[in-house]
Amino acid sequence: MTSILEHPLTPGEAALWWLGQAGYILRSGATTVVMDPYLTDSAAAGAPEFTRLHPPPVAPEKLRADIYIITHDHLDHLDPETIRRYQPRETTWFVAPRLAARRLPELGVPPDRVVRLDAGEASTLGAAEVRGVFAVPTGADVSDTTGYLVTFANGRSVYHTSDTMFHPLALAAAPRGPDVMLVPINGKWGNPGPEQAVEFAAAVQPRFVLPNHYDLMALNAENPETFRWFCNKRGLAERCVIVRRMEPFVWRGNFTHEPQP
């Protein structure tokens, strides 16, 4: 985590680090945002078919953020053990939609640090604006599922679709032209597959599109090269970025980017 917090960025840059599954750490200037960090093996309890294929890249106790965003209450997005073990709860803003936000105080989050943010709502927290974006829930148990658009003070932006069904309403509600779009490609349990995810990206027209939700569980896996192939066919080859876990992806206020080893 120290290397992330100390990674050099110019005033016009932002960076992200993929944690695996749908989890990310974002940074721009002095602001750090985490989104859906899944840093334990909670989903495997009672369901060994969902055991992690690789260890967590960051211990929950080491995680640090100014803003901690949760898109919905599934274990690989709202991970109770990660939240319980997360230490700077008193100084972090926790952002979540309606039902997920209710759970956070039960996990030790101070109620005055919880910001309920549903689709269509926005809140400025320090040097970043977080805006809720409509998503089509993939189950009745997560009817409040919400995507989020994060915009830093320097204008750099990231759209996390959350888990969402591929549906005309989701495409119509999505923001147009964000810097980065983060989209699932596993094609199971309601999420888009690689071809649908590319159609989603073609509608949104991000500068860069990064696939997720394909790497962590054998039963829920997909080949990201399939996503790249469909990007190539759809004219999005230069926008498609497949990152490695914990590899910094840095972009600026123009069309260049800088993946780093």
Side-chain angles (χ1 to χ4, degrees):
M1 192 69 203
T2 300
S3 64
I4 292 175
L5 295 176
E6 295 180 353
H7 190 88
L9 295 173
T10 68
E13 291 180 330
L16 66 76
W17 290 258
W18 184 38
L19 298 171
Q21 198 67 346
Y24 293 87
I25 300 174
L26 320 176
R27 254 200 63 218
S28 185
T31 302
T32 302
V33 179
V34 299
M35 306 185 78
D36 283 355
Y38 178 59
L39 300 175
T40 71
D41 211 10
S42 296
E49 62 272 24
F50 293 116
T51 298
R52 297 183 67 104
L53 295 175
H54 51 81
V58 179
E61 293 84 358
K62 300 292 186 182
L63 194 62
R64 296 289 183 274
D66 301 292
I67 304 170
Y68 188 129
I69 297 174
I70 298 156
T71 63
H72 64 289
D73 190 4
H74 277 165
L75 289 172
D76 56 332
H77 298 261
L78 191 165
D79 177 15
E81 290 307 308
T82 294
I83 294 171
R84 287 191 184 103
R85 292 165 55 186
Y86 179 78
Q87 294 184 353
R89 292 190 292 263
E90 302 285 343
T91 57
T92 298
W93 292 110
F94 287 78
V95 175
R98 178 173 58 93
L99 299 176
R102 288 182 185 177
R103 285 209 60 202
L104 297 179
E106 302 170 9
L107 301 173
V109 177
D112 63 353
R113 302 304 296 182
V114 177
V115 178
R116 172 184 161 180
L117 203 61
D118 298 316
E121 300 177 332
S123 181
T124 298
L125 302 168
E129 180 192 72
V130 183
R131 182 174 297 274
V133 179
F134 176 76
V136 180
T138 58
D141 58 328
V142 286
S143 59
D144 62 325
T145 299
T146 302
Y148 288 100
L149 174 68
V150 177
T151 305
F152 292 102
N154 62 5
R156 304 288 69 74
S157 59
V158 177
Y159 167 42
H160 191 305
T161 70
S162 182
D163 286 1
T164 181
M165 292 185 183
F166 182 74
H167 189 278
L169 281 177
L171 271 62
R176 286 340 191 228
D179 286 348
V180 174
M181 178 181 182
L182 310 172
V183 61
I185 65 165
N186 56 308
K188 304 173 185 72
W189 292 285
N191 272 344
E195 185 173 11
Q196 291 178 319
V198 170
E199 289 304 310
F200 200 166
V204 171
Q205 287 292 303
R207 288 170 55 188
F208 307 107
V209 57
L210 283 61
N212 63 37
H213 220 300
Y214 63 81
D215 68 311
L216 194 59
M217 304 162 186
L219 193 62
N220 202 12
E222 181 54 79
N223 185 346
E225 292 303 322
T226 305
F227 176 77
R228 190 196 301 275
W229 188 88
F230 281 111
C231 280
N232 292 345
K233 295 290 287 185
R234 198 64 171 78
L236 301 177
E238 294 184 357
R239 305 184 188 210
C240 176
V241 180
I242 298 174
V243 295
R244 294 176 293 179
R245 288 180 296 277
M246 298 303 286
E247 172 187 87
F249 174 74
V250 180
W251 74 99
R252 308 180 179 90
N254 53 42
F255 229 82
T256 63
H257 70 278
E258 182 184 350
Q260 301 178 14

